[in-house]
């Protein structure tokens, strides 16, 4: 029945769109992270490189100072992560319901419910990485956090020490990007499979 498939299609659409948006944000972040990480991995760490106006550290500092003090950008990122978690959780239930209709069609070895259990757990892991590892590295940039949580009213100034070990942030961002792309691919594969099941005579 189409009504049985609609919740799953809605969940797939939510995850595909929001994962795409998160991936785009990660790409922009990595554009600024990559030169910093490359400098550190080459042995030119933040305490040895001579900082100048066009230094990758200066560029990254200006970028993160701008976006992390923008409420719209912060809420958009957190909203996207919440959406993909919610979408994958809905797909978990919807996938189980669809799979029960005809296990032969929807897969015995790798049923839809299992696919979305894996996606949901992956998103939980990625959210944990972002909340508990990456966000703490953002705190020095967040003026409101510094003011109201740490009671530091001093204006934000460039400090190269903020980027110490930033190559690890870059590594985690690559992992998050790969996870989002994997989820998008998985969603597209499931949508193709559902269309085949609904219209068995139509080849995609």
């Amino acid at each position: 029945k189409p009504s049985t498939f609609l919740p799953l299609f809605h969940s797939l659409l939510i995850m595909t769109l929001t994962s795409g948006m998160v991936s785009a944000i990660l790409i922009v972040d990595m554009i600024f992270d990559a030169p910093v990480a490359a400098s550190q991995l080459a042995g030119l760490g933040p305490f040895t490189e001579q900082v100048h106006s066009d230094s990758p550290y200066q560029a990254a500092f200006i970028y993160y100072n701008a976006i992390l003090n923008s409420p719209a950008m912060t809420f958009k990122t957190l909203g996207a992560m919440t959406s993909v978690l919610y979408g994958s959780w809905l797909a978990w239930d919807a996938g189980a319901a669809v799979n029960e209709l005809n296990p032969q069609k929807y897969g015995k070895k790798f049923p839809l419910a299992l696919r979305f259990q894996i996606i949901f757990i992956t998103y939980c892991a990625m959210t944990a990485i972002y909340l508990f590892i990456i966000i703490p590295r953002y705190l020095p940039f967040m003026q409101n956090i510094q003011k109201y949580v740490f009671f530091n009213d001093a204006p934000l100034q460039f400090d190269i020490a903020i980027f110490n070990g930033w190559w690890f942030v870059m590594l985690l961002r690559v992992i998050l990007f790969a996870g989002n792309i994997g989820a998008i691919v998985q969603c597209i594969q499931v949508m193709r499979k559902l269309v085949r099941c609904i219209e068995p005579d139509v080849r995609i």
Side-chain angles (χ1 to χ4, degrees), residues 99 101-108 193 196-200:
N99 210 82
L101 293 177
N102 192 334
Q104 291 284 52
K105 278 188 177 182
Y106 307 122
K108 283 184 175 181
K193 189 176 184 67
R196 289 193 186 100
C197 294
I198 296 172
E199 299 290 345

Side-chain angles (χ1 to χ4, degrees), residues 141-157:
F141 298 99
M142 299 179 175
Q143 295 182 6
N144 288 332
I145 296 293
Q146 293 294 322
K147 181 177 181 180
Y148 297 111
V149 177
F150 299 106
F151 305 103
N152 180 9
D153 290 332
L156 183 63
Q157 295 181 346

Side-chain angles (χ1 to χ4, degrees), residues 96-161:
V98 170
N99 210 82
E100 289 176 0
L101 293 177
N102 192 334
Q104 291 284 52
K105 278 188 177 182
Y106 307 122
K108 283 184 175 181
K109 293 183 179 180
F110 199 25
L112 294 178
L114 178 59
R115 286 176 184 263
F116 290 106
Q117 288 172 15
I118 293 172
I119 291 176
F120 179 75
I121 292 170
T122 301
Y123 275 128
C124 287
M126 291 193 296
T127 303
I129 289 173
Y130 185 79
L131 291 177
F132 298 112
I133 302 179
I134 293 181
I135 284 185
R137 296 302 306 265
Y138 286 164
L139 294 180
F141 298 99
M142 299 179 175
Q143 295 182 6
N144 288 332
I145 296 293
Q146 293 294 322
K147 181 177 181 180
Y148 297 111
V149 177
F150 299 106
F151 305 103
N152 180 9
D153 290 332
L156 183 63
Q157 295 181 346
F158 174 76
D159 182 1
I160 200 169

Side-chain angles (χ1 to χ4, degrees), residues 17-18 24 28 34 65 71 77 87 109 115 117 127 136 144 184 188 202:
L17 293 177
T18 51
V28 177
N65 183 28
T77 303
K109 293 183 179 180
R115 286 176 184 263
Q117 288 172 15
T127 303
N144 288 332
I184 292 173
I188 293 173
V202 176

Side-chain angles (χ1 to χ4, degrees), residues 23-39:
S23 298
I25 294 172
L26 288 170
I27 289 174
V28 177
D29 291 343
M30 288 189 289
I31 290 173
F32 290 90
D33 291 340
V36 174
S39 172

Side-chain angles (χ1 to χ4, degrees), residues 12-65:
L12 291 165
L13 186 61
I14 290 172
M15 286 188 290
T16 302
L17 293 177
T18 51
S19 291
M21 185 179 74
V22 171
S23 298
I25 294 172
L26 288 170
I27 289 174
V28 177
D29 291 343
M30 288 189 289
I31 290 173
F32 290 90
D33 291 340
V36 174
S39 172
Q40 294 178 355
L41 292 175
L44 301 175
F47 300 107
T48 60
E49 181 178 277
Q50 182 180 2
V51 180
H52 43 83
S53 59
D54 60 347
S55 164
Y57 293 96
Q58 287 277 12
F61 177 81
I62 294 171
Y63 168 71
Y64 284 112
N65 183 28

